[in-house]
Amino acid sequence: MSKLWGGRFEQTASEWVDEFGASIHFDAQLVLEDIEGSIAHVTMLGEQHILTADEVAQIVAGLKTLAKKAQADELTFNVFHEDIHMNLEALLHEEIGPVAGKMHTARSRNDQVATDMHLYLKRRVLETIDGIEAVQTALYDHAAQNVESIMPGYTHLQRAQPVSLAHHLLAYFWMLERDKERFSDSLKRIDMSPLGAGALAGTTFPIDRHRSAELLGFAQVYPNSLDAVSDRDFILEFLSNASLLMMHLSRFCEELILWSSEEYRFITISDVFSTGSSMMPQKKNPDMAELVRGKSGRVVGNLMGLLTIMKGLPLAYNKDLQEDKEGMFDTVKTVQGSLSIMAGMIQDMTFHTEMMKQATERDFSNATELADYLTAKGMPFREAHEVTGTLVRYCIDQRLYLSELPIETYQAHSELIEADVYEALSPVTAVKRRNSYGGTGFDSVRIQLTEAKENLPTHA
């Protein structure tokens, strides 16, 4: 059995060389996209009278048979045929005979594989957007129930100011909204057809590239054949967007891991998303959150891998580009799995709001309230900051909190302080009052929820 491209060669490769050079082990995932692209290409060839109507009918019927077998997992691929394209052509030859060889007229594997990946990624990006919305919905549902639940807000992992739990959750909602926008915008670069660009220079046959693009549902056609077969920007952009998404999920997972610890006890993660220890029977580990956090490195690695491959490639196609797929496939699987885990884990999570509230009452996160209180009474903020800092230091020395200081001590530091200072120092008051747009005030958070809901078209 000779290679489909073997006419120019006198020697055949050793089996291990074929094995090293083959991509069928992973590009078999593109089987349905490859068949779809071939049907569109052959249909166009018939419309352009490059193939006869009978030839088109035979080839299309054979390809549809292969598609059914692929969906039923009944196709067997061979390393000898290297990739999904040559394997399908060989299988089509078995189905319909020599006319199968006409399928490749006016086409190269270079534009064929690029077409497959555009089709594949277009679908996967739409699925990823759906997955992001599922996580956003879980965040929204908890936020809607916890507008007036308060918790410590942190900077430098030190308690800073009390905030609404809903406000904290919505911060991640808006991060994911930007991720969703980036993926949506990337569709403009993915939704392009390289089909008909040939190996690098186009073809002498009178093909209609716009027609094959239309048959495949592409919005645009690459205007330059060299660019069409060598461009992998659309994959790099996907990997970059995926890296940002995974970074956001990883940040939230880090907080969930901290919050579920005995030191915080802010949340309980469902048993479904936890595991135990083989040695310590009391342990309940947030393994799914840790795995999502860890898998972010895997996705960033895939991005770095393809960037490194691309940075030294001359035009047009080079065999190096065979290495563009495994990282893409792995990222799709990793991202979609992570989104599914996150949506379920967040939805089933229990928030211990009383524990969160207590945490805001045993710290100095209300110090800014005292400084603002003095400023509102007419004291310059920088002076108010100094007075407040002095009182905090005094409290630390006396093992007290600001709300426990007697009014006499306050007035010894400033005559502007009156009995109403205790209400101002209340964590609930501190949160409630911050109603600047985008702030943590309860009214402001309700505005956020309204805006968030508008970004969830399927949300009930």
mmCIF file of all heavy atoms in Angstrom, residues 359-406:
data_model
loop_
_atom_site.group_PDB
_atom_site.id
_atom_site.type_symbol
_atom_site.label_atom_id
_atom_site.label_comp_id
_atom_site.label_asym_id
_atom_site.label_seq_id
_atom_site.Cartn_x
_atom_site.Cartn_y
_atom_site.Cartn_z
ATOM 1 N N ALA A 359 -16.883 38.020 62.021
ATOM 2 C CA ALA A 359 -15.502 38.369 61.686
ATOM 3 C C ALA A 359 -15.330 39.868 61.513
ATOM 4 O O ALA A 359 -14.250 40.414 61.772
ATOM 5 C CB ALA A 359 -15.076 37.628 60.423
ATOM 6 N N THR A 360 -16.381 40.568 61.077
ATOM 7 C CA THR A 360 -16.284 42.019 60.883
ATOM 8 C C THR A 360 -16.403 42.783 62.195
ATOM 9 O O THR A 360 -16.128 43.985 62.235
ATOM 10 C CB THR A 360 -17.388 42.522 59.927
ATOM 11 O OG1 THR A 360 -18.672 42.360 60.562
ATOM 12 C CG2 THR A 360 -17.359 41.770 58.614
ATOM 13 N N GLU A 361 -16.825 42.089 63.260
ATOM 14 C CA GLU A 361 -17.037 42.759 64.539
ATOM 15 C C GLU A 361 -15.849 42.616 65.485
ATOM 16 O O GLU A 361 -15.824 43.216 66.545
ATOM 17 C CB GLU A 361 -18.297 42.189 65.210
ATOM 18 C CG GLU A 361 -19.568 42.483 64.415
ATOM 19 C CD GLU A 361 -20.773 41.688 64.906
ATOM 20 O OE1 GLU A 361 -20.558 40.727 65.690
ATOM 21 O OE2 GLU A 361 -21.899 42.021 64.511
ATOM 22 N N ARG A 362 -14.867 41.829 65.088
ATOM 23 C CA ARG A 362 -13.714 41.581 65.957
ATOM 24 C C ARG A 362 -12.419 41.935 65.222
ATOM 25 O O ARG A 362 -11.468 41.169 65.189
ATOM 26 C CB ARG A 362 -13.675 40.118 66.421
ATOM 27 C CG ARG A 362 -14.970 39.600 67.015
ATOM 28 C CD ARG A 362 -15.384 40.336 68.261
ATOM 29 N NE ARG A 362 -14.480 40.107 69.373
ATOM 30 C CZ ARG A 362 -14.578 40.736 70.541
ATOM 31 N NH1 ARG A 362 -15.518 41.654 70.728
ATOM 32 N NH2 ARG A 362 -13.727 40.468 71.509
ATOM 33 N N ASP A 363 -12.413 43.111 64.641
ATOM 34 C CA ASP A 363 -11.213 43.580 63.948
ATOM 35 C C ASP A 363 -11.273 45.100 63.849
ATOM 36 O O ASP A 363 -12.140 45.740 64.454
ATOM 37 C CB ASP A 363 -11.079 42.928 62.565
ATOM 38 C CG ASP A 363 -12.238 43.250 61.635
ATOM 39 O OD1 ASP A 363 -12.963 44.247 61.886
ATOM 40 O OD2 ASP A 363 -12.442 42.526 60.651
ATOM 41 N N PHE A 364 -10.382 45.675 63.073
ATOM 42 C CA PHE A 364 -10.335 47.127 62.912
ATOM 43 C C PHE A 364 -10.735 47.553 61.496
ATOM 44 O O PHE A 364 -10.314 48.604 61.009
ATOM 45 C CB PHE A 364 -8.931 47.644 63.258
ATOM 46 C CG PHE A 364 -8.587 47.486 64.711
ATOM 47 C CD1 PHE A 364 -7.795 46.429 65.134
ATOM 48 C CD2 PHE A 364 -9.083 48.372 65.658
ATOM 49 C CE1 PHE A 364 -7.483 46.261 66.478
ATOM 50 C CE2 PHE A 364 -8.781 48.216 67.010
ATOM 51 C CZ PHE A 364 -7.981 47.156 67.418
ATOM 52 N N SER A 365 -11.540 46.729 60.833
ATOM 53 C CA SER A 365 -11.947 47.070 59.473
ATOM 54 C C SER A 365 -12.915 48.253 59.440
ATOM 55 O O SER A 365 -13.247 48.747 58.359
ATOM 56 C CB SER A 365 -12.583 45.849 58.785
ATOM 57 O OG SER A 365 -13.733 45.416 59.474
ATOM 58 N N ASN A 366 -13.365 48.711 60.625
ATOM 59 C CA ASN A 366 -14.229 49.902 60.673
ATOM 60 C C ASN A 366 -13.433 51.175 60.937
ATOM 61 O O ASN A 366 -14.015 52.237 61.172
ATOM 62 C CB ASN A 366 -15.326 49.727 61.721
ATOM 63 C CG ASN A 366 -14.762 49.431 63.113
ATOM 64 O OD1 ASN A 366 -13.555 49.257 63.278
ATOM 65 N ND2 ASN A 366 -15.640 49.373 64.116
ATOM 66 N N ALA A 367 -12.111 51.091 60.899
ATOM 67 C CA ALA A 367 -11.287 52.274 61.173
ATOM 68 C C ALA A 367 -11.533 53.380 60.156
ATOM 69 O O ALA A 367 -11.556 54.576 60.498
ATOM 70 C CB ALA A 367 -9.808 51.883 61.194
ATOM 71 N N THR A 368 -11.727 53.003 58.901
ATOM 72 C CA THR A 368 -11.995 54.012 57.872
ATOM 73 C C THR A 368 -13.280 54.767 58.177
ATOM 74 O O THR A 368 -13.408 55.966 57.855
ATOM 75 C CB THR A 368 -12.091 53.344 56.484
ATOM 76 O OG1 THR A 368 -10.887 52.630 56.233
ATOM 77 C CG2 THR A 368 -12.292 54.386 55.389
ATOM 78 N N GLU A 369 -14.236 54.067 58.818
ATOM 79 C CA GLU A 369 -15.504 54.728 59.168
ATOM 80 C C GLU A 369 -15.258 55.860 60.160
ATOM 81 O O GLU A 369 -15.891 56.925 60.074
ATOM 82 C CB GLU A 369 -16.487 53.711 59.767
ATOM 83 C CG GLU A 369 -16.715 52.466 58.936
ATOM 84 C CD GLU A 369 -16.938 52.770 57.477
ATOM 85 O OE1 GLU A 369 -17.833 53.598 57.164
ATOM 86 O OE2 GLU A 369 -16.222 52.194 56.650
ATOM 87 N N LEU A 370 -14.353 55.613 61.098
ATOM 88 C CA LEU A 370 -14.041 56.667 62.071
ATOM 89 C C LEU A 370 -13.372 57.850 61.385
ATOM 90 O O LEU A 370 -13.708 59.015 61.656
ATOM 91 C CB LEU A 370 -13.138 56.106 63.174
ATOM 92 C CG LEU A 370 -12.698 57.100 64.249
ATOM 93 C CD1 LEU A 370 -13.905 57.743 64.933
ATOM 94 C CD2 LEU A 370 -11.800 56.404 65.287
ATOM 95 N N ALA A 371 -12.447 57.577 60.471
ATOM 96 C CA ALA A 371 -11.792 58.669 59.745
ATOM 97 C C ALA A 371 -12.806 59.447 58.915
ATOM 98 O O ALA A 371 -12.773 60.692 58.883
ATOM 99 C CB ALA A 371 -10.695 58.103 58.850
ATOM 100 N N ASP A 372 -13.717 58.731 58.244
ATOM 101 C CA ASP A 372 -14.751 59.407 57.454
ATOM 102 C C ASP A 372 -15.700 60.201 58.358
ATOM 103 O O ASP A 372 -16.170 61.289 57.992
ATOM 104 C CB ASP A 372 -15.547 58.373 56.646
ATOM 105 C CG ASP A 372 -14.767 57.831 55.460
ATOM 106 O OD1 ASP A 372 -13.685 58.371 55.158
ATOM 107 O OD2 ASP A 372 -15.232 56.857 54.840
ATOM 108 N N TYR A 373 -15.995 59.647 59.521
ATOM 109 C CA TYR A 373 -16.869 60.324 60.496
ATOM 110 C C TYR A 373 -16.273 61.677 60.878
ATOM 111 O O TYR A 373 -16.947 62.714 60.872
ATOM 112 C CB TYR A 373 -17.028 59.421 61.711
ATOM 113 C CG TYR A 373 -17.728 60.036 62.900
ATOM 114 C CD1 TYR A 373 -19.108 59.942 63.042
ATOM 115 C CD2 TYR A 373 -17.000 60.693 63.902
ATOM 116 C CE1 TYR A 373 -19.752 60.497 64.147
ATOM 117 C CE2 TYR A 373 -17.626 61.251 65.000
ATOM 118 C CZ TYR A 373 -19.007 61.156 65.123
ATOM 119 O OH TYR A 373 -19.641 61.705 66.213
ATOM 120 N N LEU A 374 -14.982 61.674 61.216
ATOM 121 C CA LEU A 374 -14.316 62.922 61.597
ATOM 122 C C LEU A 374 -14.242 63.901 60.428
ATOM 123 O O LEU A 374 -14.400 65.117 60.606
ATOM 124 C CB LEU A 374 -12.909 62.609 62.117
ATOM 125 C CG LEU A 374 -12.852 61.906 63.483
ATOM 126 C CD1 LEU A 374 -11.454 61.383 63.756
ATOM 127 C CD2 LEU A 374 -13.299 62.871 64.585
ATOM 128 N N THR A 375 -14.004 63.370 59.231
ATOM 129 C CA THR A 375 -13.940 64.237 58.050
ATOM 130 C C THR A 375 -15.282 64.900 57.794
ATOM 131 O O THR A 375 -15.357 66.096 57.454
ATOM 132 C CB THR A 375 -13.514 63.412 56.827
ATOM 133 O OG1 THR A 375 -12.246 62.804 57.087
ATOM 134 C CG2 THR A 375 -13.407 64.292 55.588
ATOM 135 N N ALA A 376 -16.355 64.125 57.968
ATOM 136 C CA ALA A 376 -17.710 64.680 57.777
ATOM 137 C C ALA A 376 -18.015 65.753 58.816
ATOM 138 O O ALA A 376 -18.833 66.649 58.568
ATOM 139 C CB ALA A 376 -18.747 63.562 57.864
ATOM 140 N N LYS A 377 -17.344 65.686 59.965
ATOM 141 C CA LYS A 377 -17.545 66.693 61.015
ATOM 142 C C LYS A 377 -16.712 67.951 60.776
ATOM 143 O O LYS A 377 -16.788 68.910 61.541
ATOM 144 C CB LYS A 377 -17.163 66.102 62.373
ATOM 145 C CG LYS A 377 -18.051 64.952 62.831
ATOM 146 C CD LYS A 377 -19.276 65.434 63.581
ATOM 147 C CE LYS A 377 -20.034 64.258 64.191
ATOM 148 N NZ LYS A 377 -21.170 64.719 65.028
ATOM 149 N N GLY A 378 -15.863 67.931 59.731
ATOM 150 C CA GLY A 378 -15.102 69.115 59.374
ATOM 151 C C GLY A 378 -13.600 68.988 59.521
ATOM 152 O O GLY A 378 -12.846 69.885 59.125
ATOM 153 N N MET A 379 -13.118 67.865 60.068
ATOM 154 C CA MET A 379 -11.680 67.686 60.233
ATOM 155 C C MET A 379 -11.046 67.303 58.893
ATOM 156 O O MET A 379 -11.605 66.484 58.164
ATOM 157 C CB MET A 379 -11.402 66.574 61.268
ATOM 158 C CG MET A 379 -9.916 66.357 61.574
ATOM 159 S SD MET A 379 -9.648 65.000 62.763
ATOM 160 C CE MET A 379 -10.296 65.742 64.269
ATOM 161 N N PRO A 380 -9.916 67.875 58.513
ATOM 162 C CA PRO A 380 -9.231 67.454 57.278
ATOM 163 C C PRO A 380 -8.944 65.954 57.319
ATOM 164 O O PRO A 380 -8.576 65.412 58.378
ATOM 165 C CB PRO A 380 -7.934 68.276 57.285
ATOM 166 C CG PRO A 380 -8.241 69.455 58.141
ATOM 167 C CD PRO A 380 -9.193 68.978 59.191
ATOM 168 N N PHE A 381 -9.098 65.265 56.183
ATOM 169 C CA PHE A 381 -8.978 63.806 56.185
ATOM 170 C C PHE A 381 -7.617 63.340 56.670
ATOM 171 O O PHE A 381 -7.518 62.359 57.407
ATOM 172 C CB PHE A 381 -9.232 63.231 54.782
ATOM 173 C CG PHE A 381 -9.064 61.729 54.741
ATOM 174 C CD1 PHE A 381 -10.066 60.896 55.224
ATOM 175 C CD2 PHE A 381 -7.897 61.150 54.259
ATOM 176 C CE1 PHE A 381 -9.897 59.526 55.228
ATOM 177 C CE2 PHE A 381 -7.723 59.772 54.250
ATOM 178 C CZ PHE A 381 -8.741 58.954 54.736
ATOM 179 N N ARG A 382 -6.549 64.041 56.296
ATOM 180 C CA ARG A 382 -5.230 63.587 56.716
ATOM 181 C C ARG A 382 -5.089 63.627 58.236
ATOM 182 O O ARG A 382 -4.509 62.731 58.844
ATOM 183 C CB ARG A 382 -4.154 64.457 56.046
ATOM 184 C CG ARG A 382 -2.749 63.933 56.185
ATOM 185 C CD ARG A 382 -2.619 62.468 55.791
ATOM 186 N NE ARG A 382 -3.068 62.190 54.434
ATOM 187 C CZ ARG A 382 -3.450 61.005 53.996
ATOM 188 N NH1 ARG A 382 -3.484 59.978 54.822
ATOM 189 N NH2 ARG A 382 -3.823 60.830 52.746
ATOM 190 N N GLU A 383 -5.686 64.664 58.864
ATOM 191 C CA GLU A 383 -5.673 64.749 60.334
ATOM 192 C C GLU A 383 -6.565 63.662 60.933
ATOM 193 O O GLU A 383 -6.213 63.042 61.943
ATOM 194 C CB GLU A 383 -6.152 66.133 60.768
ATOM 195 C CG GLU A 383 -6.083 66.354 62.273
ATOM 196 C CD GLU A 383 -6.567 67.740 62.670
ATOM 197 O OE1 GLU A 383 -6.574 68.635 61.803
ATOM 198 O OE2 GLU A 383 -6.952 67.921 63.850
ATOM 199 N N ALA A 384 -7.710 63.422 60.278
ATOM 200 C CA ALA A 384 -8.625 62.374 60.750
ATOM 201 C C ALA A 384 -7.952 61.007 60.683
ATOM 202 O O ALA A 384 -8.137 60.157 61.561
ATOM 203 C CB ALA A 384 -9.894 62.382 59.909
ATOM 204 N N HIS A 385 -7.173 60.789 59.630
ATOM 205 C CA HIS A 385 -6.426 59.546 59.468
ATOM 206 C C HIS A 385 -5.446 59.367 60.629
ATOM 207 O O HIS A 385 -5.311 58.258 61.193
ATOM 208 C CB HIS A 385 -5.691 59.590 58.124
ATOM 209 C CG HIS A 385 -5.047 58.298 57.709
ATOM 210 N ND1 HIS A 385 -3.906 57.814 58.320
ATOM 211 C CD2 HIS A 385 -5.380 57.391 56.749
ATOM 212 C CE1 HIS A 385 -3.564 56.671 57.745
ATOM 213 N NE2 HIS A 385 -4.444 56.387 56.783
ATOM 214 N N GLU A 386 -4.777 60.442 61.015
ATOM 215 C CA GLU A 386 -3.806 60.404 62.106
ATOM 216 C C GLU A 386 -4.481 60.097 63.439
ATOM 217 O O GLU A 386 -4.001 59.256 64.214
ATOM 218 C CB GLU A 386 -3.064 61.743 62.177
ATOM 219 C CG GLU A 386 -2.054 61.859 63.307
ATOM 220 C CD GLU A 386 -0.847 60.955 63.116
ATOM 221 O OE1 GLU A 386 -0.571 60.560 61.958
ATOM 222 O OE2 GLU A 386 -0.185 60.637 64.121
ATOM 223 N N VAL A 387 -5.592 60.782 63.708
ATOM 224 C CA VAL A 387 -6.326 60.555 64.965
ATOM 225 C C VAL A 387 -6.801 59.107 65.037
ATOM 226 O O VAL A 387 -6.671 58.442 66.072
ATOM 227 C CB VAL A 387 -7.522 61.521 65.069
ATOM 228 C CG1 VAL A 387 -8.421 61.134 66.246
ATOM 229 C CG2 VAL A 387 -7.027 62.954 65.246
ATOM 230 N N THR A 388 -7.336 58.612 63.939
ATOM 231 C CA THR A 388 -7.845 57.239 63.916
ATOM 232 C C THR A 388 -6.717 56.244 64.129
ATOM 233 O O THR A 388 -6.852 55.270 64.878
ATOM 234 C CB THR A 388 -8.558 56.962 62.584
ATOM 235 O OG1 THR A 388 -9.630 57.879 62.414
ATOM 236 C CG2 THR A 388 -9.097 55.543 62.530
ATOM 237 N N GLY A 389 -5.584 56.464 63.476
ATOM 238 C CA GLY A 389 -4.440 55.571 63.650
ATOM 239 C C GLY A 389 -3.967 55.534 65.087
ATOM 240 O O GLY A 389 -3.607 54.472 65.615
ATOM 241 N N THR A 390 -3.973 56.685 65.753
ATOM 242 C CA THR A 390 -3.568 56.755 67.157
ATOM 243 C C THR A 390 -4.524 55.960 68.043
ATOM 244 O O THR A 390 -4.101 55.236 68.955
ATOM 245 C CB THR A 390 -3.531 58.223 67.616
ATOM 246 O OG1 THR A 390 -2.600 58.946 66.814
ATOM 247 C CG2 THR A 390 -3.121 58.324 69.081
ATOM 248 N N LEU A 391 -5.837 56.074 67.739
ATOM 249 C CA LEU A 391 -6.838 55.339 68.514
ATOM 250 C C LEU A 391 -6.726 53.832 68.280
ATOM 251 O O LEU A 391 -6.908 53.045 69.205
ATOM 252 C CB LEU A 391 -8.239 55.834 68.149
ATOM 253 C CG LEU A 391 -8.617 57.186 68.771
ATOM 254 C CD1 LEU A 391 -9.845 57.776 68.080
ATOM 255 C CD2 LEU A 391 -8.883 57.016 70.265
ATOM 256 N N VAL A 392 -6.432 53.429 67.059
ATOM 257 C CA VAL A 392 -6.247 52.000 66.774
ATOM 258 C C VAL A 392 -5.058 51.462 67.553
ATOM 259 O O VAL A 392 -5.125 50.362 68.147
ATOM 260 C CB VAL A 392 -6.061 51.765 65.258
ATOM 261 C CG1 VAL A 392 -5.571 50.342 64.987
ATOM 262 C CG2 VAL A 392 -7.366 52.016 64.510
ATOM 263 N N ARG A 393 -3.952 52.215 67.577
ATOM 264 C CA ARG A 393 -2.781 51.781 68.325
ATOM 265 C C ARG A 393 -3.102 51.672 69.814
ATOM 266 O O ARG A 393 -2.680 50.718 70.487
ATOM 267 C CB ARG A 393 -1.619 52.753 68.098
ATOM 268 C CG ARG A 393 -0.301 52.279 68.714
ATOM 269 C CD ARG A 393 0.890 53.132 68.303
ATOM 270 N NE ARG A 393 0.774 54.500 68.798
ATOM 271 C CZ ARG A 393 0.555 55.554 68.023
ATOM 272 N NH1 ARG A 393 0.428 55.405 66.711
ATOM 273 N NH2 ARG A 393 0.472 56.759 68.553
ATOM 274 N N TYR A 394 -3.882 52.614 70.321
ATOM 275 C CA TYR A 394 -4.298 52.584 71.725
ATOM 276 C C TYR A 394 -5.141 51.331 72.004
ATOM 277 O O TYR A 394 -4.948 50.641 73.018
ATOM 278 C CB TYR A 394 -5.098 53.843 72.061
ATOM 279 C CG TYR A 394 -5.659 53.855 73.462
ATOM 280 C CD1 TYR A 394 -4.878 54.219 74.562
ATOM 281 C CD2 TYR A 394 -6.991 53.481 73.700
ATOM 282 C CE1 TYR A 394 -5.399 54.211 75.845
ATOM 283 C CE2 TYR A 394 -7.521 53.474 74.975
ATOM 284 C CZ TYR A 394 -6.718 53.835 76.045
ATOM 285 O OH TYR A 394 -7.237 53.817 77.316
ATOM 286 N N CYS A 395 -6.056 51.022 71.086
ATOM 287 C CA CYS A 395 -6.911 49.841 71.250
ATOM 288 C C CYS A 395 -6.085 48.556 71.280
ATOM 289 O O CYS A 395 -6.345 47.647 72.085
ATOM 290 C CB CYS A 395 -7.922 49.756 70.103
ATOM 291 S SG CYS A 395 -9.296 50.905 70.246
ATOM 292 N N ILE A 396 -5.095 48.472 70.388
ATOM 293 C CA ILE A 396 -4.242 47.282 70.343
ATOM 294 C C ILE A 396 -3.509 47.118 71.675
ATOM 295 O O ILE A 396 -3.430 46.007 72.229
ATOM 296 C CB ILE A 396 -3.246 47.364 69.170
ATOM 297 C CG1 ILE A 396 -4.009 47.282 67.834
ATOM 298 C CG2 ILE A 396 -2.199 46.257 69.258
ATOM 299 C CD1 ILE A 396 -3.154 47.579 66.627
ATOM 300 N N ASP A 397 -3.009 48.232 72.207
ATOM 301 C CA ASP A 397 -2.305 48.173 73.496
ATOM 302 C C ASP A 397 -3.236 47.744 74.623
ATOM 303 O O ASP A 397 -2.820 47.024 75.542
ATOM 304 C CB ASP A 397 -1.705 49.548 73.832
ATOM 305 C CG ASP A 397 -0.560 49.929 72.904
ATOM 306 O OD1 ASP A 397 0.002 49.012 72.256
ATOM 307 O OD2 ASP A 397 -0.242 51.129 72.809
ATOM 308 N N GLN A 398 -4.493 48.172 74.563
ATOM 309 C CA GLN A 398 -5.467 47.871 75.615
ATOM 310 C C GLN A 398 -6.277 46.609 75.328
ATOM 311 O O GLN A 398 -7.148 46.241 76.124
ATOM 312 C CB GLN A 398 -6.428 49.064 75.781
ATOM 313 C CG GLN A 398 -5.756 50.375 76.154
ATOM 314 C CD GLN A 398 -5.010 50.281 77.472
ATOM 315 O OE1 GLN A 398 -5.541 49.760 78.459
ATOM 316 N NE2 GLN A 398 -3.771 50.768 77.507
ATOM 317 N N ARG A 399 -5.986 45.948 74.201
ATOM 318 C CA ARG A 399 -6.716 44.747 73.787
ATOM 319 C C ARG A 399 -8.224 45.011 73.688
ATOM 320 O O ARG A 399 -9.055 44.261 74.192
ATOM 321 C CB ARG A 399 -6.435 43.589 74.743
ATOM 322 C CG ARG A 399 -4.976 43.164 74.742
ATOM 323 C CD ARG A 399 -4.722 41.943 75.581
ATOM 324 N NE ARG A 399 -3.320 41.548 75.511
ATOM 325 C CZ ARG A 399 -2.803 40.496 76.142
ATOM 326 N NH1 ARG A 399 -3.589 39.722 76.898
ATOM 327 N NH2 ARG A 399 -1.520 40.216 76.031
ATOM 328 N N LEU A 400 -8.531 46.089 73.019
ATOM 329 C CA LEU A 400 -9.918 46.497 72.787
ATOM 330 C C LEU A 400 -10.135 46.700 71.296
ATOM 331 O O LEU A 400 -9.179 46.739 70.511
ATOM 332 C CB LEU A 400 -10.221 47.806 73.530
ATOM 333 C CG LEU A 400 -10.126 47.807 75.058
ATOM 334 C CD1 LEU A 400 -10.237 49.236 75.582
ATOM 335 C CD2 LEU A 400 -11.221 46.931 75.669
ATOM 336 N N TYR A 401 -11.419 46.863 70.910
ATOM 337 C CA TYR A 401 -11.771 47.252 69.544
ATOM 338 C C TYR A 401 -12.388 48.644 69.587
ATOM 339 O O TYR A 401 -12.809 49.124 70.659
ATOM 340 C CB TYR A 401 -12.738 46.239 68.926
ATOM 341 C CG TYR A 401 -12.113 44.875 68.719
ATOM 342 C CD1 TYR A 401 -12.383 43.834 69.608
ATOM 343 C CD2 TYR A 401 -11.222 44.642 67.680
ATOM 344 C CE1 TYR A 401 -11.787 42.585 69.453
ATOM 345 C CE2 TYR A 401 -10.623 43.404 67.510
ATOM 346 C CZ TYR A 401 -10.911 42.377 68.401
ATOM 347 O OH TYR A 401 -10.304 41.157 68.241
ATOM 348 N N LEU A 402 -12.464 49.303 68.461
ATOM 349 C CA LEU A 402 -12.949 50.679 68.427
ATOM 350 C C LEU A 402 -14.341 50.813 69.003
ATOM 351 O O LEU A 402 -14.660 51.794 69.688
ATOM 352 C CB LEU A 402 -12.925 51.203 66.981
ATOM 353 C CG LEU A 402 -11.544 51.488 66.386
ATOM 354 C CD1 LEU A 402 -11.651 51.791 64.910
ATOM 355 C CD2 LEU A 402 -10.864 52.652 67.135
ATOM 356 N N SER A 403 -15.191 49.833 68.747
ATOM 357 C CA SER A 403 -16.567 49.907 69.246
ATOM 358 C C SER A 403 -16.643 49.741 70.761
ATOM 359 O O SER A 403 -17.681 50.023 71.378
ATOM 360 C CB SER A 403 -17.428 48.829 68.583
ATOM 361 O OG SER A 403 -16.896 47.537 68.852
ATOM 362 N N GLU A 404 -15.523 49.303 71.405
ATOM 363 C CA GLU A 404 -15.503 49.086 72.855
ATOM 364 C C GLU A 404 -14.912 50.268 73.633
ATOM 365 O O GLU A 404 -14.956 50.284 74.864
ATOM 366 C CB GLU A 404 -14.711 47.810 73.171
ATOM 367 C CG GLU A 404 -15.330 46.547 72.580
ATOM 368 C CD GLU A 404 -14.452 45.327 72.744
ATOM 369 O OE1 GLU A 404 -13.203 45.465 72.752
ATOM 370 O OE2 GLU A 404 -15.006 44.217 72.851
ATOM 371 N N LEU A 405 -14.362 51.240 72.935
ATOM 372 C CA LEU A 405 -13.779 52.396 73.630
ATOM 373 C C LEU A 405 -14.882 53.250 74.249
ATOM 374 O O LEU A 405 -15.902 53.519 73.616
ATOM 375 C CB LEU A 405 -12.979 53.250 72.646
ATOM 376 C CG LEU A 405 -11.602 52.744 72.197
ATOM 377 C CD1 LEU A 405 -10.995 53.729 71.211
ATOM 378 C CD2 LEU A 405 -10.674 52.540 73.391
ATOM 379 N N PRO A 406 -14.681 53.736 75.460
ATOM 380 C CA PRO A 406 -15.669 54.648 76.062
ATOM 381 C C PRO A 406 -15.641 56.004 75.362
ATOM 382 O O PRO A 406 -14.619 56.408 74.797
ATOM 383 C CB PRO A 406 -15.212 54.750 77.515
ATOM 384 C CG PRO A 406 -13.767 54.381 77.506
ATOM 385 C CD PRO A 406 -13.599 53.397 76.398
#
